[in-house]
Amino acid sequence: MTTRRPATTAVTELAESPTTVSECAEQARELIRATARFLGVEEIYPMSCDADIHAADAALSTARQALTAHLELAALPGQRQPDPVVAALMLRLQLTQLSVKDAILASHNDKLRGAREAVNALRSSVSAAALAERAPVEAPRMGFTRMLFSWIRHGIWFACSAFAGADEELAQSMVAVGLANPRRLSALSPESEMVRRGVPILVRDARSHPHVHPELVSLTETRSYVAAPVLSWGKPIALVHADRDTDESGVQPFDRDVLGMFAEGLGVAFERNLMVDRLQAMRQAADEHLRSANTIADEFALDVMDIAESAAQPVEHLLGVEPASTAGSYERHDTLTAREAEVLRGLAAGKTNAQIALSLFVTEGTVKSHVKHILRKLGASNRTEAVAMYHRMRSSSPRDTTSFSRSSPRSSSGEISTALPMAGRP
């Protein structure tokens, strides 16, 4: 046992309150050593050189308890008065622990904010697959260094995607090992209890726990980890695992709660994407139904128009040209209706189906049906051939230019106007 030494020097040197996490951890170590020297012991609480704020908090609590016991003993009747330096040391322990608590609170706030930001970042993912790939990448926002996302299928969880910082090879290995060793959610595994209760968990003794995933623990060498179920419409669909391999103390209960909040937001994101997928499917079905209805309506309208045009005029008359003088040059067994003639003139003017539909106040599907009938009646194999036949009929007409202009006025651009009066219509 070492000789008790005054702690005045330590107290004087630590007069300033720490402002950063590393300063808090360093000052905690100095105070722990000063307390040990004063009490004449080798060690009060083991602390590493890392800036582990949670370990510093626990060490300061232990040191305060040891000093409190010493002060209580000194206050007993017949004992000497307590050294003022001890009270000063106790005060410094309390002030330093207050700074440590502030640092822990700030860290918690950062993690909560990171969880909210991570969930918001996932809103841009428009599919379940994109969400699954993106989720582990958000781990650093919440203070985690590694994260694994796994699907649940028929009571078995399969690794899907992982994040391990700059170590992409490890992330790929985590997924490969998880896929090669799918884990059934048996009654003994901590994940099974987690899924059953629908709450996140903290596994502190991962290396010695008999029912964790042995292959993944062996690969990652994790000391402790947190996990949470992802629920969609109340049903568990996935798991997320996370740890912090750069921190000797591993993960804490608050990390479990942060991951649980993230998993809850992730579940809502999956629900949203599922609703979007369903709405898109419903819209597609509605579009298909509308197209079918339009086709039926177009066919019905064409049948009605064909019946209404029972006194259909010869093709040449409807197109505003005289019959060819050479008998049999363009002999026809079918005749065009007035509306089909309008459509043919639009084709000859170089208009698209959409432009013709707009000018005739009909749907594009109706125009397509008209075009099919025109090709059939003219015996043309395509639109180009039908237009060529139209121009040949015009060029073979004996009518003069003045007569054609009266029956087929042109627009300023030289196109045949679609407002040509139709024979047989008022």
Side-chain angles (χ1 to χ4, degrees), residues 24-25 28-29 31-32 35 44-48 51-66 93 96-101 104 204 249 252:
C24 286
R29 281 189 289 269
L31 283 172
I32 297 302
T35 303
I44 292 179
Y45 190 96
M47 285 190 64
S48 66
D52 186 346
I53 199 67
H54 295 282
D57 184 39
L60 290 170
S61 294
T62 302
R64 287 178 57 197
Q65 291 172 2
L93 285 170
T96 301
Q97 191 165 24
L98 179 61
S99 298
V100 169
K101 296 290 188 184
I104 292 175
R204 294 186 180 277
S249 64
Q252 303 296 324

Side-chain angles (χ1 to χ4, degrees), residues 15 53 73 87 128 172 211 233 271 294 381:
I53 199 67
L73 182 62
Q172 295 174 0
H211 301 297
W233 307 111
E271 291 176 359
N294 285 337
S381 58

Side-chain angles (χ1 to χ4, degrees), residues 1-2 32-33 36-37 39-45:
M1 182 176 295
T2 61
I32 297 302
R33 286 193 289 265
R37 287 195 299 269
L39 296 177
V41 297
E42 291 290 341
E43 187 177 61
I44 292 179
Y45 190 96

Side-chain angles (χ1 to χ4, degrees), residues 79 81 91 130 138 151 165 186 226-227 235 304 317 320:
Q79 300 294 326
Q81 295 295 321
L91 177 61
E138 302 299 329
W151 290 113
S186 63
V226 289
K235 178 182 178 181
V304 171
H317 181 75

Side-chain angles (χ1 to χ4, degrees), residues 1-217:
M1 182 176 295
T2 61
T3 304
R4 180 181 300 175
R5 297 169 56 186
T8 307
T9 303
V11 174
T12 303
E13 292 176 351
L14 301 176
E16 297 295 331
S17 298
T19 57
T20 65
V21 172
S22 59
E23 288 178 357
C24 286
E26 179 60 29
Q27 185 159 320
R29 281 189 289 269
E30 291 296 329
L31 283 172
I32 297 302
R33 286 193 289 265
T35 303
R37 287 195 299 269
F38 177 81
L39 296 177
V41 297
E42 291 290 341
E43 187 177 61
I44 292 179
Y45 190 96
M47 285 190 64
S48 66
C49 296
D50 297 332
D52 186 346
I53 199 67
H54 295 282
D57 184 39
L60 290 170
S61 294
T62 302
R64 287 178 57 197
Q65 291 172 2
L67 276 183
T68 299
H70 174 78
L71 289 173
E72 291 175 349
L73 182 62
L76 292 175
Q79 300 294 326
R80 66 181 181 84
Q81 295 295 321
D83 191 337
V85 174
V86 179
L89 183 58
M90 175 67 79
L91 177 61
R92 291 308 305 162
L93 285 170
Q94 291 175 336
L95 291 176
T96 301
Q97 191 165 24
L98 179 61
S99 298
V100 169
K101 296 290 188 184
D102 288 340
I104 292 175
L105 181 60
S107 174
H108 287 181
N109 288 335
D110 289 342
K111 292 175 181 177
L112 287 174
R113 182 170 59 252
R116 289 193 294 268
E117 292 174 352
V119 172
N120 288 334
L122 293 176
R123 296 177 62 183
S124 60
S125 301
V126 296
S127 67
L131 271 176
E133 288 295 325
R134 176 69 182 173
V137 181
E138 302 299 329
R141 294 182 188 265
M142 296 166 282
F144 300 118
T145 58
R146 300 183 296 197
M147 183 176 288
L148 176 69
F149 178 91
S150 306
W151 290 113
I152 297 177
R153 296 288 186 269
H154 306 294
I156 302 175
W157 54 282
F158 302 85
C160 174
S161 58
F163 173 82
D167 196 345
E168 296 183 2
E169 183 177 352
L170 175 59
Q172 295 174 0
S173 298
M174 290 167 63
V175 175
V177 169
L179 286 175
N181 302 276
R183 191 76 173 174
R184 179 169 292 279
L185 294 171
S186 63
L188 298 178
S189 68
E191 283 79 9
S192 177
E193 179 69 9
M194 174 186 72
V195 171
R196 186 183 67 82
R197 297 176 57 196
V199 296
I201 59 172
L202 166 61
V203 178
R204 294 186 180 277
D205 53 346
R207 296 182 183 178
S208 59
H209 198 293
H211 301 297
V212 298
H213 197 301
E215 292 82 7
L216 281 174
V217 170

Side-chain angles (χ1 to χ4, degrees), residues 288-344:
E288 291 290 341
H289 178 74
L290 182 59
R291 280 193 291 269
S292 299
N294 285 337
T295 300
I296 295 173
D298 291 339
E299 294 294 337
F300 178 76
L302 289 174
D303 291 340
V304 171
M305 287 187 290
D306 286 342
I307 295 173
E309 295 282 356
S310 57
Q313 303 297 323
V315 175
E316 294 84 352
H317 181 75
L318 288 171
L319 296 178
V321 299
E322 293 294 337
S325 57
T326 305
S329 296
Y330 300 106
E331 184 177 354
R332 291 290 171 275
H333 297 289
D334 294 324
T335 57
L336 297 183
T337 64
R339 180 52 57 91
E340 290 168 351
E342 289 178 301
V343 172
L344 182 55

